[in-house]
Amino acid sequence: MTDSIHTPHETDVVIIGGGPVGLGLAIELGQRGIRCIVAERYAQPQPIPKGQNLTQRTMEHFHFWGAEPQLRAARTIPPEYGIGGLTAYGSLLSGHHYDWLQRELVKPYYFKDNERLPQYETEKVLRQRVAALPTVQVLYGWDADTLTQNETSTTVTLTERSSQEQQTIRAAYVVGCDGSRSKTREQASITQTLSDHDRCMVLLVFKSQELHTLLSRFPGKSFYNVLHPELKGYWKFFGRVDLGNTWFFHAPVPMGTTADNFDFKKYLHESVGAEFEIEFQHIGFWDLRFALADQYRAGRIFIAGDAAHSHPPYGGYGVNSGFEDARNLGWKLAAVLQGWGDDALLDSYDAERRPVFASTIDDFIAKSIETDRAFLADFDPAQDAAAFETAWTERSHGAVGEVHAFEPNYEGSPVVWYTQVAAHVCSAKGSHQFKARTGHHLAPACLSNGKNVFEVLGDGFTLLALGAASTDTQVLVDAAAAAGVPLTVIQEPTGSQADRYEARWILIRPDQFVAWTSEAQTIHADLAHQLFKRVRGQFNRL
């Protein structure tokens, strides 16, 4: 077929890559009335079971995207079974094991419970939701070829993969959600810092009802992590795709391994500690490395998800971090395009999200590999059973601590406001508390009207005034109006569960992070005006 080139047309944002992160961003923008075009190279979601563990925070996103019930209905493991994790030593059936990644421990601090399903099922739900938004157009089966920008706009050339038809799109901004090999990142000349662990990893997808029977001794478990001394801290990782039949498996293999020169059945049997029938559906390979972009923005071009950061699939951090990128960048792009956000607000996307993922790598994923490597070098049940059991028990307690400590926050953000000057940094490491803290995710609370605060938050900023008179609140309302910041006000009397926020005033961002708190009885007008200039990105006017 002869190539045809359409005349350029305009939109607000072009999103390159229509996987979970790209579609999530499109929904975030589309619900705010922002015109988007999404270019996705695959006509259908790819049937590889990855990105399965969805945190409570991610399920809050799906709540606000209007897709939570549909996502839970798409679950491939019955709700009554459970989606917990387990860590074992040597093999799954060795007798040494403990509960791992117990996300239910932090459930009280989030509005929604966590979920688990294959990424391709998540994508199907997102595709259905985005199709209902009139401001979003998705082009399935299209590649992004070239990308240019100037001071006022960007231009993207797309090619339809089957017909080679082309079209050119002019947009205010471009966001690359096109994976770890992102062409958007390359064309924007955004460099990466790589940490290559020089490990080849295999991904196996297989069917086995016998494995389900073998693992029935671990009820309610859906993913399993095996530590083995020979792997020096790297994991063998099993996960259920459904209940009773389909599984995936990640593990290190020797460099140069192919689908034909390695005994994968034997490897699986050794990892479980028993033989069982196996029917392979997929054998693939990937390199174990950490990658973090050196910037998330280059002019009018942004990157998000795996295009901005990638890592081994340890702990379910990847897709959840990508969804948080989408929420963070989405409301800020909308604010600027709607005229109430300044350009510096867009810079805060990098300032908040990049340090958080650097911390995710250093304080959680890489640290776990080093911790596991040290444990395996120091303890062996065959050499000293008592010392091993003591250390193993301590590890189980540490696994609980890791869940509590993973609390991404923006304490060092330029668009949050502290009443007292102090040194703060954005980090993935924190603590879960009910107290409302600047830069942290707001915990849920039941209000005096019987509704949860998450059910009454506005699309823009929300001011929660606890025990404050409406006349006192008016100072903040006037300041928001003067700055053009959309503000929903919740006047809440004392005596409800919201008292646990330990603040009189709480300003909540569109992504449910706290921008400011105060216990003052009244707020001065000059402080109120400075506050709303800060949160919209007017730093030069402070």
Side-chain angles (χ1 to χ4, degrees):
M1 180 176 179
T2 304
D3 291 0
S4 64
I5 301 179
H6 296 170
T7 56
H9 59 279
E10 294 189 355
T11 191
D12 294 322
V13 180
V14 169
I15 299 170
I16 300 173
V21 176
L23 292 174
L25 177 60
I27 294 168
E28 181 73 17
L29 291 168
Q31 289 186 160
R32 297 179 182 279
I34 303 302
R35 298 173 302 150
C36 306
I37 294 178
V38 182
E40 166 54 36
R41 69 192 318 263
Y42 293 113
Q44 299 295 331
Q46 298 302 288
I48 302 299
K50 57 182 180 178
Q52 298 203 96
N53 281 317
L54 303 181
T55 62
Q56 290 99 339
R57 172 59 179 157
T58 289
M59 294 310 297
E60 289 179 355
H61 301 329
F62 277 85
H63 164 76
F64 286 104
W65 290 338
E68 183 208 353
Q70 294 85 345
L71 189 75
R72 296 200 188 277
R75 179 173 171 161
T76 55
I77 296 175
E80 63 272 13
Y81 180 76
I83 52 176
L86 175 144
T87 292
Y89 176 87
S91 70
L92 287 180
L93 304 183
S94 68
H96 302 292
H97 58 82
Y98 58 76
D99 290 347
W100 173 61
L101 209 61
Q102 303 173 68
R103 296 198 192 277
E104 67 274 9
L105 296 174
V106 295
K107 181 181 181 299
Y109 303 97
Y110 296 90
F111 180 50
K112 294 295 178 179
D113 203 357
N114 61 327
E115 192 53 273
R116 179 180 173 84
L117 69 167
Q119 180 172 304
Y120 51 80
E121 296 293 344
T122 300
E123 284 189 37
K124 290 177 184 177
V125 172
L126 290 168
R127 286 186 176 211
Q128 292 170 357
R129 176 67 186 118
V130 81
L133 297 173
T135 56
V136 180
Q137 178 186 6
V138 184
L139 302 174
Y140 294 114
W142 289 75
D143 275 326
D145 292 328
T146 61
L147 169 61
T148 60
Q149 65 172 318
N150 56 37
E151 291 184 359
T152 60
S153 66
T154 64
T155 303
V156 183
T157 301
L158 305 177
T159 301
E160 207 276 333
R161 299 182 71 191
S162 61
S163 68
Q164 295 303 299
E165 176 186 357
Q166 289 188 318
Q167 59 175 303
T168 300
I169 304 171
R170 185 182 298 117
Y173 299 99
V174 168
V175 183
C177 303
D178 46 345
S180 60
R181 302 181 187 276
S182 170
K183 291 172 63 177
T184 306
R185 185 184 64 239
E186 293 177 2
Q187 293 194 48
S189 299
I190 296 175
T191 57
Q192 290 180 292
T193 296
L194 301 174
S195 176
D196 197 333
H197 283 235
D198 195 28
R199 288 275 176 163
C200 178
M201 304 289 288
V202 68
L203 167 61
L204 305 175
V205 183
F206 61 94
K207 290 185 177 293
S208 178
Q209 292 183 345
E210 288 184 3
L211 180 58
H212 172 68
T213 301
L214 284 169
L215 299 185
S216 62
R217 68 194 68 190
F218 306 127
K221 302 302 180 187
S222 292
F223 50 100
Y224 314 80
N225 165 32
V226 180
L227 300 180
H228 195 283
E230 292 180 358
L231 299 184
K232 302 184 184 303
Y234 300 103
W235 299 351
K236 300 176 181 179
F237 185 70
F238 289 86
R240 295 181 181 272
V241 179
D242 54 35
L243 184 60
N245 197 27
T246 312
W247 307 79
F248 71 86
F249 176 76
H250 288 283
V253 292
M255 299 298 289
T257 298
T258 69
D260 302 317
N261 67 3
F262 191 85
D263 190 343
F264 294 108
K265 284 190 176 182
K266 180 181 178 182
Y267 199 28
L268 285 168
H269 293 161
E270 291 173 347
S271 301
V272 173
E275 294 189 359
F276 53 94
E277 48 84 20
I278 300 170
E279 178 187 342
F280 288 112
Q281 294 187 305
H282 173 82
I283 300 176
F285 302 92
W286 52 276
D287 296 324
L288 192 152
R289 64 163 56 98
F290 297 97
L292 179 62
D294 296 320
Q295 60 194 80
Y296 283 11
R297 179 188 188 185
R300 292 182 168 271
I301 302 170
F302 299 81
I303 53 175
D306 285 353
H309 47 75
S310 58
H311 63 86
Y314 288 11
Y317 296 107
V319 71
N320 295 295
S321 295
F323 282 133
E324 197 67 59
D325 292 345
R327 286 301 303 284
N328 187 294
L329 179 58
W331 76 263
K332 294 172 181 177
L333 280 171
V336 172
L337 287 163
Q338 291 166 349
W340 60 270
D342 286 60
D343 185 73
L345 182 63
L346 298 179
D347 288 334
S348 74
Y349 166 61
D350 177 283
E352 292 180 345
R353 294 301 301 151
R354 200 161 60 86
V356 164
F357 199 81
S359 172
T360 301
I361 292 174
D362 295 339
D363 297 324
F364 293 91
I365 308 173
K367 181 181 178 181
S368 72
I369 294 174
E370 294 303 321
T371 300
D372 291 347
R373 179 178 295 150
F375 170 82
L376 293 168
D378 293 342
F379 300 99
D380 183 345
Q383 299 295 325
D384 189 336
F388 175 87
E389 290 296 342
T390 298
W392 190 250
T393 300
E394 290 177 357
R395 281 181 59 90
S396 69
H397 296 154
V400 171
E402 180 180 340
V403 174
H404 282 286
F406 184 73
E407 191 256 341
N409 62 83
Y410 307 139
E411 285 195 359
S413 170
V415 291
V416 301
W417 177 275
Y418 288 92
T419 53
Q420 294 181 340
V421 177
H424 299 281
V425 295
C426 299
S427 175
K429 193 172 183 178
S431 62
H432 286 84
Q433 299 180 31
F434 291 117
K435 180 180 179 179
R437 296 166 292 161
T438 298
H440 290 256
H441 170 266
L442 183 75
C446 186
L447 302 178
S448 57
N449 62 6
K451 292 185 177 181
N452 195 287
V453 67
F454 273 68
E455 298 177 279
V456 295
L457 294 174
D459 291 333
F461 279 77
T462 300
L463 176 65
L464 184 57
L466 300 176
S470 58
T471 51
D472 294 333
T473 305
Q474 193 61 43
V475 173
L476 289 157
V477 172
D478 292 343
V485 176
L487 183 68
T488 298
V489 177
I490 301 173
Q491 295 279 168
E492 176 71 6
T494 58
S496 74
Q497 195 178 48
D499 288 352
R500 66 189 186 184
Y501 290 145
E502 299 181 37
R504 183 177 177 85
W505 311 96
I506 305 168
L507 184 63
I508 304 153
R509 306 189 332 178
D511 59 356
Q512 297 85 55
F513 276 78
V514 176
W516 167 77
T517 68
S518 177
E519 297 178 34
Q521 289 296 309
T522 59
I523 303 299
H524 295 293
D526 59 343
L527 185 149
H529 284 283
Q530 290 182 33
L531 168 64
F532 283 100
K533 288 177 182 178
R534 168 64 67 91
V535 299
R536 65 164 286 168
Q538 287 185 351
F539 310 133
N540 60 328
R541 301 184 188 179
L542 289 177

